[in-house]
Amino acid sequence: MAALRALHDFFVGAMYIERRIDPFFRPFVDAIAREPLTRLVQALIRARLPDHGLGLAEEQPLAGEDELIADIIANMSQYLRTHYDAGTAQRGGNTKTHGVVRGELVIHDGLPENLRHGLFEQPHRYPVWVRFSGPGPALPPDIEDVGVLSIGVKVMGVPGPKLLRDERFTQDFTGISTPVFTTPDLTANAKLQAAVARGLPLFYFVGPGGHFLDALMQALWSRTQTSPLETEYWGCVPYLLGEGQAMQYHFRPVGATRSRIPGLPGRPSDNYLRDAMARTLTARPARFEMLLQLQSDAQRMPVEHASVRWDAPDSPPVVVATLELPSQRFDTDAQLAFASRLSINPWHCLPAHRPLGNQNRGRLKIYQALSLLRQHMNDTPHVEPDGSETFDPPLPL
């Protein structure tokens, strides 16, 4: 075990070095090679997928699914209890809060009829809280994370019944800065969480039985991030869009450029991502387009396998809304602490957007269990926000 840990730490140390030089060459490499390599890796992944004969928006439970979910909850709960004291517990995933900011989700008018379901049925402006965060489960300096960011959008003032009863008027969307999920299904997710519990997460990807192609996909799309406002975020897993129709969504920044990271190739601020976001939102607003993509081919766009990037020429993503973040100050202690009271869960949703697939079915129990544990450890009961929340007086603009 000592030898394995030493080898693991060597690879992690090499990643830390790469993160410091990545911005000097990565944009050029991505422009030339990322998309061709992604298509190659995706072709290899799809070639290994069995055809279960599923129809559009059709699900198929995994064998032993409940036991897998229980294993994941046990490992992630033990990690929280082991690594965090009472009052300091963090989320098991999407852990480090870079900021929680106010905004509006503006549903566009004139959408095609097949997209006008649920939240997208008619044009409207909804207040939102948007949480930008790091991957977790630890809280490293930003330059030492794995190069993946996450977004959680809590839409408020949404009428109608919801699938979770702990919030009455919210619709949540979550995403990460890679177009496919870290693990293809709950079986692999349970293996990853077991590797995290042993302190050897990289060995989930390499070695006997490892998920090498998934590692390549993550490597192609993870990078030294410059700002949470300067990257795309993908939902990675499917959701209903009305009865019998599945979709995936993602958020794409509008007019964003890559900021310079002060201090590289040395050591930047431990929270340079929050600093970059604060500089931007102090000076000007930021916007993201929200895009939906409909499932048109159940094999090329699977519901139960989250390592496959949905890619079909007859179903391109369509812009359906704009996420508007006005100029603001968000980095007071009280507003940052507000994040610990938020529960962002894709099952906070309208029935028209029910989460699909085994990863999402697992999230229903996993997110609830870990949220309750974190809030119990911190003595911070869950609250449903409505957008009227106020915090410490903001610093002057």
Side-chain angles (χ1 to χ4, degrees):
M1 180 59 74
L4 285 176
R5 192 170 300 280
L7 181 61
H8 184 275
D9 291 347
F10 171 80
F11 287 130
V12 171
M15 183 188 72
Y16 291 167
I17 295 173
E18 192 278 337
R19 285 285 173 260
R20 285 170 166 78
I21 61 175
D22 177 289
F24 301 104
F25 68 87
R26 186 61 179 267
F28 174 77
V29 172
D30 284 351
I32 299 299
R34 184 169 66 177
E35 187 57 31
L37 290 175
T38 294
R39 291 187 177 278
L40 173 61
V41 174
Q42 283 292 297
L44 295 173
I45 291 174
R46 285 196 300 271
R48 300 167 62 178
L49 288 184
D51 184 355
H52 295 295
L54 299 179
L56 296 178
E58 186 176 353
E59 299 177 272
Q60 183 177 64
L62 291 177
E65 193 167 296
D66 290 341
E67 290 77 12
L68 292 169
I69 294 170
D71 284 348
I72 293 170
I73 291 173
N75 276 317
M76 296 184 76
S77 297
Q78 184 59 35
Y79 184 96
L80 293 186
R81 294 190 185 98
T82 301
H83 290 81
Y84 298 107
D85 297 326
T88 67
Q90 303 292 323
R91 289 169 171 81
N94 306 323
T95 304
K96 185 175 182 179
T97 299
H98 300 309
V100 177
V101 303
R102 296 181 186 271
E104 286 189 311
L105 185 67
V106 183
I107 309 301
H108 293 182
D109 196 3
L111 297 179
E113 185 175 352
N114 61 345
L115 301 182
R116 295 201 301 263
H117 297 278
L119 193 73
F120 310 101
E121 185 173 357
Q122 56 188 356
H124 195 79
R125 299 182 75 95
Y126 292 98
V128 299
W129 282 111
V130 184
R131 178 178 180 262
F132 294 98
S133 56
L139 293 168
D142 292 343
I143 197 63
E144 294 179 2
D145 73 11
V146 298
V148 177
L149 295 176
S150 62
I151 191 173
V153 180
K154 183 170 286 293
V155 187
M156 297 168 287
V158 180
K162 307 300 187 299
L163 294 183
L164 281 184
R165 295 185 178 181
D166 61 343
E167 297 193 5
R168 297 173 56 199
F169 299 107
T170 62
Q171 166 75 48
D172 292 357
F173 297 103
T174 65
I176 59 175
S177 59
T178 61
V180 295
F181 199 55
T182 313
T183 57
D185 53 34
L186 283 173
T187 302
N189 200 319
K191 293 178 182 177
L192 174 60
Q193 299 309 324
V196 171
R198 294 193 299 271
L200 303 171
L202 291 183
F203 289 153
Y204 158 79
F205 293 104
V206 298
H211 291 261
F212 183 65
L213 292 176
D214 295 331
L216 286 178
M217 276 300 296
Q218 295 301 308
L220 285 168
W221 289 86
S222 64
R223 64 182 185 183
T224 301
Q225 300 290 342
T226 55
S227 168
L229 302 176
E230 297 172 359
T231 189
E232 293 186 72
Y233 298 92
W234 287 266
C236 297
V237 285
Y239 300 83
L240 281 180
L241 185 63
E243 191 62 35
Q245 187 171 239
M247 61 94 170
Q248 287 194 11
Y249 59 79
H250 80 275
F251 294 92
R252 181 171 64 195
V254 177
T257 58
R258 285 177 62 84
S259 301
R260 185 181 67 84
I261 302 174
L264 290 185
R267 186 180 183 87
S269 162
D270 288 352
N271 299 307
Y272 79 83
L273 290 169
R274 181 183 302 160
D275 297 341
M277 188 162 61
R279 284 194 301 272
T280 296
L281 290 179
T282 297
R284 61 186 183 276
R287 290 189 300 150
F288 288 82
E289 294 175 327
M290 185 179 187
L291 299 92
L292 302 187
Q293 183 179 27
L294 293 180
Q295 184 195 36
S296 62
D297 184 318
Q299 183 68 9
R300 290 188 61 85
M301 308 167 85
V303 163
E304 299 288 352
H305 198 287
S307 286
V308 175
R309 183 176 70 167
W310 280 18
D311 183 18
D314 62 338
S315 185
V318 177
V319 177
V320 296
T322 301
L323 179 62
E324 298 182 350
L325 307 178
S327 182
Q328 61 190 283
R329 295 300 300 263
F330 64 87
D331 49 355
T332 64
D333 290 341
Q335 189 159 333
L336 290 169
F338 172 60
S340 68
R341 293 180 175 267
L342 289 177
S343 175
I344 297 176
N345 188 325
W347 287 86
H348 287 143
C349 69
L350 297 162
H353 303 313
R354 178 173 64 83
L356 299 175
N358 63 87
Q359 298 269 27
N360 267 328
R361 294 192 296 273
R363 281 171 157 180
L364 175 59
K365 295 180 179 179
I366 294 166
Y367 279 31
Q368 283 183 306
L370 296 179
S371 180
L372 288 172
L373 173 60
R374 171 174 55 85
Q375 291 166 358
H376 174 74
M377 291 177 66
N378 294 341
D379 193 24
T380 53
H382 164 249
V383 296
E384 177 180 352
D386 61 14
S388 67
E389 294 78 16
T390 58
F391 305 99
D392 293 341
L395 299 175
L397 293 177

PDB file of all heavy atoms in Angstrom, residues 275-299:
ATOM      1  N   ASP A 275     -11.469  35.261  -7.058  1.00  0.00           N
ATOM      2  CA  ASP A 275     -10.977  36.614  -7.317  1.00  0.00           C
ATOM      3  C   ASP A 275     -11.275  37.044  -8.753  1.00  0.00           C
ATOM      4  O   ASP A 275     -11.678  38.190  -9.004  1.00  0.00           O
ATOM      5  CB  ASP A 275      -9.470  36.683  -7.065  1.00  0.00           C
ATOM      6  CG  ASP A 275      -9.086  36.393  -5.620  1.00  0.00           C
ATOM      7  OD1 ASP A 275      -9.973  36.498  -4.746  1.00  0.00           O
ATOM      8  OD2 ASP A 275      -7.921  36.041  -5.377  1.00  0.00           O
ATOM      9  N   ALA A 276     -11.083  36.119  -9.710  1.00  0.00           N
ATOM     10  CA  ALA A 276     -11.331  36.447 -11.116  1.00  0.00           C
ATOM     11  C   ALA A 276     -12.806  36.732 -11.357  1.00  0.00           C
ATOM     12  O   ALA A 276     -13.165  37.681 -12.069  1.00  0.00           O
ATOM     13  CB  ALA A 276     -10.861  35.294 -12.008  1.00  0.00           C
ATOM     14  N   MET A 277     -13.660  35.935 -10.760  1.00  0.00           N
ATOM     15  CA  MET A 277     -15.096  36.149 -10.921  1.00  0.00           C
ATOM     16  C   MET A 277     -15.515  37.469 -10.284  1.00  0.00           C
ATOM     17  O   MET A 277     -16.348  38.200 -10.842  1.00  0.00           O
ATOM     18  CB  MET A 277     -15.864  34.974 -10.308  1.00  0.00           C
ATOM     19  CG  MET A 277     -17.348  35.000 -10.584  1.00  0.00           C
ATOM     20  SD  MET A 277     -18.165  33.407 -10.326  1.00  0.00           S
ATOM     21  CE  MET A 277     -17.854  33.138  -8.592  1.00  0.00           C
ATOM     22  N   ALA A 278     -14.941  37.780  -9.131  1.00  0.00           N
ATOM     23  CA  ALA A 278     -15.267  39.044  -8.459  1.00  0.00           C
ATOM     24  C   ALA A 278     -14.828  40.241  -9.304  1.00  0.00           C
ATOM     25  O   ALA A 278     -15.556  41.240  -9.399  1.00  0.00           O
ATOM     26  CB  ALA A 278     -14.616  39.084  -7.081  1.00  0.00           C
ATOM     27  N   ARG A 279     -13.639  40.160  -9.923  1.00  0.00           N
ATOM     28  CA  ARG A 279     -13.183  41.274 -10.773  1.00  0.00           C
ATOM     29  C   ARG A 279     -14.151  41.501 -11.930  1.00  0.00           C
ATOM     30  O   ARG A 279     -14.493  42.639 -12.267  1.00  0.00           O
ATOM     31  CB  ARG A 279     -11.775  41.000 -11.306  1.00  0.00           C
ATOM     32  CG  ARG A 279     -10.670  41.191 -10.281  1.00  0.00           C
ATOM     33  CD  ARG A 279      -9.309  41.245 -10.959  1.00  0.00           C
ATOM     34  NE  ARG A 279      -9.018  40.035 -11.716  1.00  0.00           N
ATOM     35  CZ  ARG A 279      -8.436  38.948 -11.204  1.00  0.00           C
ATOM     36  NH1 ARG A 279      -8.093  38.926  -9.916  1.00  0.00           N
ATOM     37  NH2 ARG A 279      -8.189  37.895 -11.952  1.00  0.00           N
ATOM     38  N   THR A 280     -14.586  40.413 -12.542  1.00  0.00           N
ATOM     39  CA  THR A 280     -15.500  40.546 -13.679  1.00  0.00           C
ATOM     40  C   THR A 280     -16.830  41.154 -13.259  1.00  0.00           C
ATOM     41  O   THR A 280     -17.310  42.123 -13.857  1.00  0.00           O
ATOM     42  CB  THR A 280     -15.734  39.170 -14.332  1.00  0.00           C
ATOM     43  OG1 THR A 280     -14.498  38.682 -14.872  1.00  0.00           O
ATOM     44  CG2 THR A 280     -16.757  39.271 -15.456  1.00  0.00           C
ATOM     45  N   LEU A 281     -17.456  40.590 -12.227  1.00  0.00           N
ATOM     46  CA  LEU A 281     -18.795  41.028 -11.852  1.00  0.00           C
ATOM     47  C   LEU A 281     -18.799  42.383 -11.159  1.00  0.00           C
ATOM     48  O   LEU A 281     -19.841  43.035 -11.081  1.00  0.00           O
ATOM     49  CB  LEU A 281     -19.465  39.973 -10.974  1.00  0.00           C
ATOM     50  CG  LEU A 281     -19.853  38.679 -11.705  1.00  0.00           C
ATOM     51  CD1 LEU A 281     -20.494  37.690 -10.750  1.00  0.00           C
ATOM     52  CD2 LEU A 281     -20.781  38.967 -12.872  1.00  0.00           C
ATOM     53  N   THR A 282     -17.666  42.809 -10.658  1.00  0.00           N
ATOM     54  CA  THR A 282     -17.576  44.178 -10.150  1.00  0.00           C
ATOM     55  C   THR A 282     -17.593  45.174 -11.302  1.00  0.00           C
ATOM     56  O   THR A 282     -18.165  46.268 -11.194  1.00  0.00           O
ATOM     57  CB  THR A 282     -16.290  44.362  -9.326  1.00  0.00           C
ATOM     58  OG1 THR A 282     -16.339  43.501  -8.188  1.00  0.00           O
ATOM     59  CG2 THR A 282     -16.144  45.801  -8.843  1.00  0.00           C
ATOM     60  N   ALA A 283     -17.010  44.776 -12.427  1.00  0.00           N
ATOM     61  CA  ALA A 283     -16.867  45.705 -13.556  1.00  0.00           C
ATOM     62  C   ALA A 283     -18.032  45.657 -14.541  1.00  0.00           C
ATOM     63  O   ALA A 283     -18.376  46.670 -15.148  1.00  0.00           O
ATOM     64  CB  ALA A 283     -15.566  45.393 -14.296  1.00  0.00           C
ATOM     65  N   ARG A 284     -18.656  44.462 -14.700  1.00  0.00           N
ATOM     66  CA  ARG A 284     -19.666  44.338 -15.752  1.00  0.00           C
ATOM     67  C   ARG A 284     -20.508  43.082 -15.502  1.00  0.00           C
ATOM     68  O   ARG A 284     -20.107  42.195 -14.734  1.00  0.00           O
ATOM     69  CB  ARG A 284     -19.005  44.236 -17.127  1.00  0.00           C
ATOM     70  CG  ARG A 284     -18.094  43.023 -17.290  1.00  0.00           C
ATOM     71  CD  ARG A 284     -17.349  43.037 -18.602  1.00  0.00           C
ATOM     72  NE  ARG A 284     -16.533  41.861 -18.799  1.00  0.00           N
ATOM     73  CZ  ARG A 284     -15.307  41.710 -18.316  1.00  0.00           C
ATOM     74  NH1 ARG A 284     -14.752  42.685 -17.610  1.00  0.00           N
ATOM     75  NH2 ARG A 284     -14.622  40.600 -18.535  1.00  0.00           N
ATOM     76  N   PRO A 285     -21.649  42.970 -16.163  1.00  0.00           N
ATOM     77  CA  PRO A 285     -22.449  41.748 -16.051  1.00  0.00           C
ATOM     78  C   PRO A 285     -21.831  40.612 -16.861  1.00  0.00           C
ATOM     79  O   PRO A 285     -20.923  40.820 -17.679  1.00  0.00           O
ATOM     80  CB  PRO A 285     -23.813  42.160 -16.615  1.00  0.00           C
ATOM     81  CG  PRO A 285     -23.503  43.284 -17.542  1.00  0.00           C
ATOM     82  CD  PRO A 285     -22.321  44.012 -16.949  1.00  0.00           C
ATOM     83  N   ALA A 286     -22.346  39.408 -16.630  1.00  0.00           N
ATOM     84  CA  ALA A 286     -21.926  38.232 -17.393  1.00  0.00           C
ATOM     85  C   ALA A 286     -23.177  37.484 -17.848  1.00  0.00           C
ATOM     86  O   ALA A 286     -24.241  37.578 -17.223  1.00  0.00           O
ATOM     87  CB  ALA A 286     -21.045  37.327 -16.547  1.00  0.00           C
ATOM     88  N   ARG A 287     -23.037  36.757 -18.943  1.00  0.00           N
ATOM     89  CA  ARG A 287     -24.185  36.031 -19.489  1.00  0.00           C
ATOM     90  C   ARG A 287     -23.760  34.647 -19.962  1.00  0.00           C
ATOM     91  O   ARG A 287     -22.631  34.436 -20.406  1.00  0.00           O
ATOM     92  CB  ARG A 287     -24.802  36.781 -20.671  1.00  0.00           C
ATOM     93  CG  ARG A 287     -25.529  38.066 -20.326  1.00  0.00           C
ATOM     94  CD  ARG A 287     -26.284  38.580 -21.544  1.00  0.00           C
ATOM     95  NE  ARG A 287     -25.370  38.860 -22.658  1.00  0.00           N
ATOM     96  CZ  ARG A 287     -25.701  38.769 -23.942  1.00  0.00           C
ATOM     97  NH1 ARG A 287     -26.918  38.350 -24.288  1.00  0.00           N
ATOM     98  NH2 ARG A 287     -24.825  39.068 -24.884  1.00  0.00           N
ATOM     99  N   PHE A 288     -24.693  33.719 -19.859  1.00  0.00           N
ATOM    100  CA  PHE A 288     -24.556  32.385 -20.440  1.00  0.00           C
ATOM    101  C   PHE A 288     -25.800  32.101 -21.276  1.00  0.00           C
ATOM    102  O   PHE A 288     -26.912  32.472 -20.896  1.00  0.00           O
ATOM    103  CB  PHE A 288     -24.465  31.303 -19.351  1.00  0.00           C
ATOM    104  CG  PHE A 288     -23.177  31.280 -18.578  1.00  0.00           C
ATOM    105  CD1 PHE A 288     -22.974  32.155 -17.521  1.00  0.00           C
ATOM    106  CD2 PHE A 288     -22.182  30.364 -18.875  1.00  0.00           C
ATOM    107  CE1 PHE A 288     -21.804  32.131 -16.787  1.00  0.00           C
ATOM    108  CE2 PHE A 288     -21.004  30.328 -18.146  1.00  0.00           C
ATOM    109  CZ  PHE A 288     -20.809  31.215 -17.097  1.00  0.00           C
ATOM    110  N   GLU A 289     -25.620  31.432 -22.404  1.00  0.00           N
ATOM    111  CA  GLU A 289     -26.749  30.860 -23.134  1.00  0.00           C
ATOM    112  C   GLU A 289     -27.036  29.472 -22.578  1.00  0.00           C
ATOM    113  O   GLU A 289     -26.108  28.715 -22.281  1.00  0.00           O
ATOM    114  CB  GLU A 289     -26.439  30.750 -24.628  1.00  0.00           C
ATOM    115  CG  GLU A 289     -26.275  32.075 -25.329  1.00  0.00           C
ATOM    116  CD  GLU A 289     -25.846  31.906 -26.768  1.00  0.00           C
ATOM    117  OE1 GLU A 289     -25.104  30.951 -27.074  1.00  0.00           O
ATOM    118  OE2 GLU A 289     -26.249  32.759 -27.586  1.00  0.00           O
ATOM    119  N   MET A 290     -28.303  29.139 -22.434  1.00  0.00           N
ATOM    120  CA  MET A 290     -28.704  27.782 -22.074  1.00  0.00           C
ATOM    121  C   MET A 290     -29.201  27.082 -23.324  1.00  0.00           C
ATOM    122  O   MET A 290     -30.075  27.589 -24.032  1.00  0.00           O
ATOM    123  CB  MET A 290     -29.788  27.794 -21.009  1.00  0.00           C
ATOM    124  CG  MET A 290     -30.157  26.411 -20.524  1.00  0.00           C
ATOM    125  SD  MET A 290     -31.429  26.421 -19.227  1.00  0.00           S
ATOM    126  CE  MET A 290     -31.415  24.660 -18.773  1.00  0.00           C
ATOM    127  N   LEU A 291     -28.627  25.907 -23.593  1.00  0.00           N
ATOM    128  CA  LEU A 291     -28.970  25.151 -24.791  1.00  0.00           C
ATOM    129  C   LEU A 291     -29.559  23.799 -24.404  1.00  0.00           C
ATOM    130  O   LEU A 291     -29.112  23.168 -23.431  1.00  0.00           O
ATOM    131  CB  LEU A 291     -27.744  24.924 -25.669  1.00  0.00           C
ATOM    132  CG  LEU A 291     -27.029  26.162 -26.216  1.00  0.00           C
ATOM    133  CD1 LEU A 291     -25.916  26.609 -25.278  1.00  0.00           C
ATOM    134  CD2 LEU A 291     -26.446  25.881 -27.601  1.00  0.00           C
ATOM    135  N   LEU A 292     -30.564  23.348 -25.160  1.00  0.00           N
ATOM    136  CA  LEU A 292     -31.140  22.019 -25.006  1.00  0.00           C
ATOM    137  C   LEU A 292     -30.843  21.197 -26.246  1.00  0.00           C
ATOM    138  O   LEU A 292     -30.838  21.715 -27.367  1.00  0.00           O
ATOM    139  CB  LEU A 292     -32.663  22.085 -24.813  1.00  0.00           C
ATOM    140  CG  LEU A 292     -33.226  22.890 -23.652  1.00  0.00           C
ATOM    141  CD1 LEU A 292     -34.734  22.687 -23.555  1.00  0.00           C
ATOM    142  CD2 LEU A 292     -32.548  22.530 -22.343  1.00  0.00           C
ATOM    143  N   GLN A 293     -30.608  19.889 -26.029  1.00  0.00           N
ATOM    144  CA  GLN A 293     -30.401  18.966 -27.145  1.00  0.00           C
ATOM    145  C   GLN A 293     -31.321  17.772 -26.947  1.00  0.00           C
ATOM    146  O   GLN A 293     -31.275  17.104 -25.910  1.00  0.00           O
ATOM    147  CB  GLN A 293     -28.945  18.503 -27.209  1.00  0.00           C
ATOM    148  CG  GLN A 293     -28.644  17.591 -28.395  1.00  0.00           C
ATOM    149  CD  GLN A 293     -27.185  17.163 -28.434  1.00  0.00           C
ATOM    150  OE1 GLN A 293     -26.535  17.098 -27.397  1.00  0.00           O
ATOM    151  NE2 GLN A 293     -26.686  16.853 -29.612  1.00  0.00           N
ATOM    152  N   LEU A 294     -32.163  17.498 -27.933  1.00  0.00           N
ATOM    153  CA  LEU A 294     -33.108  16.396 -27.846  1.00  0.00           C
ATOM    154  C   LEU A 294     -32.459  15.085 -28.252  1.00  0.00           C
ATOM    155  O   LEU A 294     -31.653  15.035 -29.198  1.00  0.00           O
ATOM    156  CB  LEU A 294     -34.317  16.662 -28.745  1.00  0.00           C
ATOM    157  CG  LEU A 294     -35.233  17.822 -28.349  1.00  0.00           C
ATOM    158  CD1 LEU A 294     -36.378  17.941 -29.362  1.00  0.00           C
ATOM    159  CD2 LEU A 294     -35.779  17.633 -26.950  1.00  0.00           C
ATOM    160  N   GLN A 295     -32.828  14.026 -27.574  1.00  0.00           N
ATOM    161  CA  GLN A 295     -32.392  12.680 -27.950  1.00  0.00           C
ATOM    162  C   GLN A 295     -33.134  12.254 -29.213  1.00  0.00           C
ATOM    163  O   GLN A 295     -34.363  12.251 -29.254  1.00  0.00           O
ATOM    164  CB  GLN A 295     -32.685  11.696 -26.819  1.00  0.00           C
ATOM    165  CG  GLN A 295     -32.187  10.280 -27.086  1.00  0.00           C
ATOM    166  CD  GLN A 295     -32.794   9.265 -26.126  1.00  0.00           C
ATOM    167  OE1 GLN A 295     -33.955   9.393 -25.749  1.00  0.00           O
ATOM    168  NE2 GLN A 295     -32.019   8.265 -25.739  1.00  0.00           N
ATOM    169  N   SER A 296     -32.367  11.901 -30.243  1.00  0.00           N
ATOM    170  CA  SER A 296     -32.972  11.439 -31.493  1.00  0.00           C
ATOM    171  C   SER A 296     -32.559  10.022 -31.859  1.00  0.00           C
ATOM    172  O   SER A 296     -33.145   9.416 -32.768  1.00  0.00           O
ATOM    173  CB  SER A 296     -32.590  12.381 -32.645  1.00  0.00           C
ATOM    174  OG  SER A 296     -31.179  12.383 -32.849  1.00  0.00           O
ATOM    175  N   ASP A 297     -31.562   9.476 -31.158  1.00  0.00           N
ATOM    176  CA  ASP A 297     -31.045   8.140 -31.433  1.00  0.00           C
ATOM    177  C   ASP A 297     -30.694   7.506 -30.094  1.00  0.00           C
ATOM    178  O   ASP A 297     -29.768   7.956 -29.411  1.00  0.00           O
ATOM    179  CB  ASP A 297     -29.812   8.238 -32.336  1.00  0.00           C
ATOM    180  CG  ASP A 297     -29.255   6.891 -32.756  1.00  0.00           C
ATOM    181  OD1 ASP A 297     -29.189   5.980 -31.909  1.00  0.00           O
ATOM    182  OD2 ASP A 297     -28.852   6.753 -33.919  1.00  0.00           O
ATOM    183  N   ALA A 298     -31.420   6.478 -29.706  1.00  0.00           N
ATOM    184  CA  ALA A 298     -31.247   5.891 -28.371  1.00  0.00           C
ATOM    185  C   ALA A 298     -29.902   5.199 -28.195  1.00  0.00           C
ATOM    186  O   ALA A 298     -29.450   5.012 -27.059  1.00  0.00           O
ATOM    187  CB  ALA A 298     -32.374   4.896 -28.088  1.00  0.00           C
ATOM    188  N   GLN A 299     -29.239   4.812 -29.287  1.00  0.00           N
ATOM    189  CA  GLN A 299     -27.939   4.167 -29.179  1.00  0.00           C
ATOM    190  C   GLN A 299     -26.810   5.194 -29.150  1.00  0.00           C
ATOM    191  O   GLN A 299     -25.894   5.099 -28.346  1.00  0.00           O
ATOM    192  CB  GLN A 299     -27.739   3.191 -30.341  1.00  0.00           C
ATOM    193  CG  GLN A 299     -26.436   2.392 -30.293  1.00  0.00           C
ATOM    194  CD  GLN A 299     -26.371   1.382 -29.152  1.00  0.00           C
ATOM    195  OE1 GLN A 299     -27.363   1.144 -28.467  1.00  0.00           O
ATOM    196  NE2 GLN A 299     -25.195   0.790 -28.933  1.00  0.00           N
TER     197      GLN A 299
END
